[in-house]
Structure formats: structure tokens, C-alpha cells
Amino acid sequence: LAKTTQPISMDSYEGQEVNITCSHNNIATNDYITWYQQFPSQGPRFIIQGYKTKVTNEVASLFIPADRKSSTLSLPRVSLSDTAVYYCLVVFFGNEKLTFGTGTRLTIIP
Amino acid sequence: NAGVMQNPRHLVRRRGQEARLRCSPMKGHSHVYWYRQLPEEGLKFMVYLQKENIIDESGMPKERFSAEFPKEGPSILRIQQVVRGDSAAYFCASSPRSTGDEQYFGPGTRLTVT
């Protein structure tokens, strides 16, 4: 059964680096792993997308090991405005199922 | 280039009434997705549509729920004979090509069933 698992919550102090991991089995061979950020009462917002190894953009990095059974979103030097829920989204092999992770509620402490 | 539009933003219905939620994808996007988010819970996939076709509706409840994405006009998520358990935020997203593309989300419609 396809499943995506994330830690329920994390706390971090301002200025630190935060790593959030998503575990996913049976991921589709040719499909990407995507991470989204959601603030209360808003729709999710795209952060980063990757297929393998490492991807970096202006706000985050994404690390994907060779077996692709997990991925780690890395937020450098977090600030209070990064307090939000973070979701990974994967597409599962065989049935193209779009499955959001359980979500990680990140709280940044001043 | 306007983002994904959803209306209404808030919808109140009495039990047994019908709810119609509309979604206009971003210009040039032919793929639409609907998700439901119950209070304090994560996003659950409902249905994936391309123009005039339902590609995957495996996340839709078998009864009372339907979706369409006509050749012209917005995508519609329709809930018949609403019950209190249907109260949730319904998000629409669109992408230019396939399920592997980045999805752009609308602001959501918050349905309250009284």
C-alpha cells in the first residue's frame, strides 16, 4: 500500500537550519517529489521539486537518496515567517495516485 | 497572469442542499485537481481532470460527489445532499501538463454545512 510519512511537528529556533524528511515507498520511476508550504486558511504554495540527488533554489534544498524511498527538505536559516505546515507530494507507481504526505507543522521560536 | 481562482471563498449550506464549487485554472493549464482538507488535517486527493475527461477519481466518495471540467468554463465540484461531515476546505490546483508538474493552488472554498 502506497504511503507517505512525515514527522507530525518540529520546533526550531530562528536562524537555524531545518531538515524535514518524507518517507515514501513505491514511488513512480519517472516522477518527481514536490514540497509545498501551507499557511493557515491558504492554499499550499510550491517550494521545490526534484527527481534525484540534490536540488537547490533560492528558498530551500531538496535531498533525494539513490533509492528515492525518502526525501529531505532543507530550509536554511529559518525565520518566524517560516512557521507553517510542510507537505511532500509524490506520485505512486502503477496507479498514478497523487498522495500528499501527512504534513509537518513547523514552529519557529524567536 | 492570474492565478488559480476559486469561488465562492466561503459557502454555507444546510443539510440536504447542494454545493457547487468552481475552479478556474491558470491560463494555459489543462489539468485540474481537487483536494479536501478537513479541519486540522492534511490534504486528501479527490479527483484529477483534464479538459472534458476525468483521469482519476479514486479519491472521490462514491456517492453524492461529482466533478467536471468542460471544454469551456471552470471546473465544477458538486456535492449533492450535503451532510455535516462535508464541512471542509476544498482546494483546486492546476498544472500545465501531467501529474508530475508543479501544481498551482487556489485559495480554497470553505464549505460549512449547518
Side-chain angles (χ1 to χ4, degrees), chain A residues 31-32 36 38 41-44 46 49 87 89 91 95-98 100 105, chain B residues 33 35 37 40-43 45 56 58 91 99-103 105-106 110:
Chain A
D31 281 303
Y32 286 83
Y36 292 83
Q38 187 180 29
S41 300
Q42 295 185 24
F46 172 85
Q49 183 180 68
Y87 294 95
L89 172 65
V91 180
N95 53 18
E96 294 291 309
K97 281 206 176 298
L98 287 155
F100 269 92
R105 186 175 300 275
Chain B
Y33 316 80
Y35 296 88
Q37 188 170 39
E40 300 303 316
E41 292 192 14
L43 292 144
F45 167 76
D56 180 1
S58 57
F91 290 98
T99 52
D101 281 349
E102 173 187 345
Q103 295 181 28
F105 281 80
R110 276 147 190 85

Side-chain angles (χ1 to χ4, degrees), chain B residues 40-86:
Chain B
E40 300 303 316
E41 292 192 14
L43 292 144
K44 300 296 183 186
F45 167 76
M46 298 182 74
V47 62
Y48 162 38
L49 311 101
Q50 293 180 36
K51 282 286 187 181
E52 300 184 273
N53 289 303
I54 296 174
I55 306 303
D56 180 1
E57 58 182 347
S58 57
M60 289 270 274
K62 294 289 186 285
E63 298 177 351
R64 303 188 296 109
F65 285 71
S66 62
E68 62 176 9
F69 188 16
K71 187 176 180 180
E72 301 291 338
S75 175
I76 306 288
L77 179 67
R78 182 182 178 202
I79 311 172
Q80 295 178 291
Q81 299 174 322
V82 295
V83 301
R84 287 220 171 103
D86 295 332

Side-chain angles (χ1 to χ4, degrees), chain A residues 7-20:
Chain A
I8 293 175
S9 64
M10 296 178 69
D11 294 338
S12 179
Y13 288 100
E14 276 190 292
Q16 291 190 328
E17 177 184 83
V18 170
N19 296 310
I20 306 173

Side-chain angles (χ1 to χ4, degrees), chain A residues 11-69:
Chain A
D11 294 338
S12 179
Y13 288 100
E14 276 190 292
Q16 291 190 328
E17 177 184 83
V18 170
N19 296 310
I20 306 173
T21 297
C22 175
S23 298
H24 31 74
N25 55 8
N26 301 327
I27 188 173
T29 303
N30 298 318
D31 281 303
Y32 286 83
I33 298 157
T34 313
W35 282 81
Y36 292 83
Q37 175 192 56
Q38 187 180 29
F39 295 113
S41 300
Q42 295 185 24
R45 186 170 68 103
F46 172 85
I47 303 173
I48 195 166
Q49 183 180 68
Y51 175 70
K52 61 180 178 181
T53 62
K54 178 182 176 182
V55 177
T56 298
N57 62 20
E58 62 275 9
V59 299
S61 294
L62 180 59
F63 300 91
I64 304 169
D67 65 7
R68 299 190 353 115
K69 291 186 183 301

